[in-house]
Amino acid sequence: MFTQKPTNVTLFTGIVYTMPCEATGVPDPTYTWTFNAAPLQESPVILKLLSGGLFFADVRISDSGRYTCNAQNLHGSKSADAYLKVVKGKSLPSL
């Protein structure tokens, strides 16, 4: 069961951000992430956290897309999706 799911978010380039993902289970779940349906590769600016979340040290336009957190243990697995949209700029445009 998820205690924190990733949620859709729009961010500006250069922001530091942690996409949440946390689940409970016995035994404790392990986590994997996909980006646009492909296994997510960690990099110096994108790190998978032991707690399940995904840490972005410097959000870039190329980070925009669908992220899926998969939590699994002996008894099964669950997944949750979120879309990250990254835009240039320092503030939201006026409506």
Side-chain angles (χ1 to χ4, degrees):
M1 172 185 293
F2 281 104
T3 55
Q4 283 191 312
K5 290 183 180 181
T7 57
N8 298 338
V9 64
T10 299
L11 301 172
F12 296 110
T13 54
I15 297 292
V16 174
Y17 175 67
T18 300
M19 185 174 284
C21 183
E22 214 171 295
T24 59
V26 177
D28 289 337
T30 58
Y31 301 91
T32 57
W33 283 88
T34 60
F35 173 60
N36 293 330
L40 179 76
Q41 299 299 313
E42 287 187 271
S43 73
V45 294
I46 301 177
L47 301 171
K48 298 173 194 171
L49 303 175
L50 291 176
S51 62
L54 196 59
F55 176 78
F56 296 82
D58 179 20
V59 177
R60 301 172 183 179
I61 297 285
S62 60
D63 296 327
S64 294
R66 184 183 75 191
Y67 289 82
T68 304
C69 175
N70 300 288
Q72 59 271 334
N73 69 10
L74 299 173
H75 305 290
S77 64
K78 296 280 184 184
S79 63
D81 293 331
Y83 288 87
L84 172 62
K85 181 178 178 181
V86 182
V87 296
K88 287 185 178 183
K90 298 291 182 194
S91 62
L92 290 173
S94 299
L95 296 178

